[in-house]
Amino acid sequence: MKTSIESTSSDDATALSDYSSTLPENLPTWMKNQKAQSFGLKSLTALYTLILTIVAFIIEISPTWQSDAMHIEYTIFCVLMYSIAILYFIYLYTVILYPIVFNTILLYLERMHVLSVHSIKRWMRPEPVFTGEGAGTLYLRLGTLLFGTLGSVLWGSEIFLCFFTNARHNIYVIKYIFAFVFTYMQMHFLCCNSKIDLPKNSFIASFGMMHCIAVNLWVWFSLCLAKAVYKSDKKTLKLQKNEEKWKKKNMTLADAVVEVVTTTVAYIVTEGEGDFSASEKQLRSLYKLGSAANFLLTTLVEFSLIAAAVYFIIWKHEGEEKPQEQRKKHVRFDCKSTSVGIFAALVLLIGSFVSISMHYIYNNSDKPRVADEVIGIAETVLFCVTLLAVFAAFVRMRKLQYRLHAHGQVVDEILLIVGLAGEIVYCSTGLDLYLNERLTNMQGTSCLTVVAFVFRIVQVVVQSVFILVASRLRSLSASNVLNQPGKQIITFLVVCNINLFIYHTFETIESNFGFPHKMASVYSALLNMSSPLVVFYRFHSSACLAEIWKHAYSTKYNHSHHHVHKPLEDHHIA
């Protein structure tokens, strides 16, 4: 056995020696390999984003950082987060996107003999290349423009309110100015330059992009918490007003005199403090503008989610070489076969606004339960009709042809899944609260809650599957180009989702359908985190369906991509 082992070891050594003699000499180490450098750089920046996001989330929920004694330190942290992101955008615009100024300065320094020719060649920046995914679709860019504009209005209102009634510390003014500048610069970048292909193995470009992801996630989380605090304060104030109404109905003359004196003294003591004596860090516009500020906050939350997703796509495809496409200068729409879908959806839109007016009438008449049931009935009808329309679209569009994955769809699909997750969390929380109410209170709530949430979950899941499938379908045959099967239904679905976007925005601000006025903090946190995603899902579904409407039936676009399918058709004929 020993002899056999020695013989085997000798044979292995000989084979290893023969194999090693065939390998090339002087190969570069992994530290000089560009792919290894790119992987290491992306790993470091991803780790930085993960750590910074976790730290920012902990600071937002930490009782220590959220105490009144730490409001200056907390604001300094916010300023640092915004300032690093703004410095990155300044670098991005002056060095990568518009390098002519930077290159001109280098050439001037070379003429003045400050820099050598070798240094000039090393630091000279090339022209930008726009081959990335970015915010690929027109409707996504329009969404960033709309949400970014409304979000900037919120920050502008906060800047004004820093000097309104009692003035705030100067650090707050700097914070909101930086927030405004950061939002505006993001809006311009996402609308005009999001398809930029970042230079390969550039530490500043990769680091800055991941820092912007962390900042947007932090803004999303902090605004959701601010919205939760505002809703809690609003419910508390509403309960106090109801108690005061009940007391006034049963108040004697002596009690009325005591109430007037107490209220007057309390007003004199707290005069000038306004609504902000409890916490300096809360957004003042929420308490001054009310529902309008709540709507602006919701749009800013959705803008942050879009920005984070687009930045991730840009960072993921950093340095990838792709053939550059000519940037489009105009957009063409074919509105044939759309009138029936538009006017059928307008009937639902009118009915939705009527139900919203009925909600206000019942709510102002001290009938909040009836007002919420009106919203529940209207929502159930909308979900049922939209679900039937999706099934009809599946049937009508079965005649279309399949094509390969389109450029610019990755970010749309990521955002669609994020919105779908928010919808599922929202509906699941509502169903869980209904079950909890049935267990704790034998009477429970209306069964309409279960019906509405079940239809809602089914509708969003089926519609998401439909969008993922239909985005890859095209009219390539002559009969499909002539008849355009399913276009009326797609038009109907676009308007219905816009209708549901408006409806869900109103629901998250005013209505409490499906949810009790008092609930555990866990449920409240889940609802406040998922409610902006619910609104975002409807907006993004409208954008995706509009893209399907635009491309699936576009003769020009389909003929330009027909060569993708021709080999498959020739093989099928053979």
Side-chain angles (χ1 to χ4, degrees), residues 79-108:
V79 170
L80 286 175
M81 293 283 283
Y82 286 126
S83 59
I84 295 173
I86 291 172
L87 288 174
Y88 169 69
F89 273 110
I90 293 173
Y91 163 81
L92 190 65
Y93 272 84
T94 56
V95 178
I96 297 178
L97 290 172
Y98 304 101
I100 184 171
V101 177
F102 184 76
N103 292 339
T104 304
I105 294 173
L106 289 177
L107 292 174
Y108 176 77

Side-chain angles (χ1 to χ4, degrees), residues 282-573:
Q282 297 302 328
L283 293 171
R284 289 187 168 188
S285 55
L286 285 175
Y287 298 90
K288 284 293 183 181
L289 301 179
S291 299
N294 199 358
F295 172 71
L296 296 177
L297 185 145
T298 302
T299 60
L300 192 56
V301 167
E302 293 160 7
F303 177 77
S304 300
L305 287 175
I306 295 174
V310 173
Y311 294 154
F312 176 77
I313 295 297
I314 296 173
W315 171 82
K316 184 175 181 292
H317 297 286
E318 175 187 323
E320 293 184 1
E321 297 181 359
K322 298 178 181 178
Q324 187 168 2
E325 298 177 357
Q326 186 177 1
R327 303 182 81 176
K328 295 180 180 180
K329 302 296 182 182
H330 62 276
V331 179
R332 178 176 175 270
F333 294 98
D334 180 13
C335 295
K336 179 185 176 183
S337 303
T338 58
S339 58
V340 175
I342 290 175
F343 283 94
L346 285 178
V347 174
L348 292 178
L349 185 65
I350 294 169
S352 300
F353 281 110
V354 170
S355 66
I356 289 174
S357 65
M358 292 172 64
H359 175 273
Y360 277 112
I361 292 171
Y362 279 118
N363 209 26
N364 293 331
S365 303
D366 293 330
K367 297 179 180 179
R369 187 181 180 88
V370 179
D372 290 339
E373 287 183 354
V374 169
I375 296 296
I377 294 170
E379 280 192 346
T380 305
V381 172
L382 284 173
F383 294 140
C384 291
V385 173
T386 311
L387 180 61
L388 292 174
V390 173
F391 283 126
F394 264 120
V395 173
R396 289 287 295 158
M397 295 182 71
R398 74 188 188 279
K399 300 178 181 179
L400 301 186
Q401 287 73 39
Y402 180 83
R403 68 162 182 80
L404 299 178
H405 194 277
H407 179 77
Q409 278 186 350
V410 177
V411 65
D412 289 329
E413 292 174 357
I414 291 175
L415 292 173
L416 183 70
I417 298 302
V418 170
L420 175 62
E423 277 276 9
I424 293 174
V425 171
Y426 187 86
C427 296
S428 301
T429 305
L431 291 172
D432 193 29
L433 279 169
Y434 171 81
L435 181 61
N436 185 53
E437 284 289 308
R438 295 285 293 183
L439 293 175
T440 56
N441 183 7
M442 296 307 294
Q443 294 181 353
T445 56
S446 173
C447 294
L448 180 63
T449 303
V450 176
V451 176
F453 281 131
V454 168
F455 272 107
R456 183 171 183 164
I457 289 179
V458 174
Q459 195 275 328
V460 296
V461 171
V462 174
Q463 179 174 275
S464 300
V465 174
F466 170 75
I467 290 173
L468 294 174
V469 174
S471 61
R472 293 164 171 80
L473 300 181
R474 293 293 181 267
S475 298
L476 299 178
S477 64
S479 60
N480 286 340
V481 171
L482 180 64
N483 299 322
Q484 297 183 340
K487 191 173 183 179
Q488 295 277 18
I489 305 175
I490 294 294
T491 307
F492 178 79
L493 286 172
V494 170
V495 182
C496 281
N497 276 273
I498 294 173
N499 183 14
L500 285 168
F501 165 72
I502 299 170
Y503 216 77
H504 290 338
T505 303
F506 163 78
E507 181 186 34
T508 56
I509 295 173
E510 295 293 339
S511 176
N512 291 309
F513 168 70
F515 304 105
H517 291 279
K518 292 183 179 180
M519 66 184 79
S521 57
V522 176
Y523 292 121
S524 180
L526 286 173
L527 290 176
N528 286 296
M529 292 295 176
S530 59
S531 57
L533 295 177
V534 166
V535 179
F536 172 74
Y537 174 80
R538 290 301 170 182
F539 166 79
H540 191 62
S541 296
S542 304
C544 292
L545 289 165
E547 280 292 314
I548 295 170
W549 180 90
K550 174 185 173 184
H551 292 301
Y553 305 99
S554 174
T555 306
K556 180 180 179 181
Y557 186 87
N558 292 336
H559 281 299
S560 65
H561 289 75
H562 186 68
H563 67 278
V564 175
H565 301 269
K566 192 172 181 179
L568 298 177
E569 292 174 357
D570 292 342
H571 175 72
H572 179 68
I573 292 170

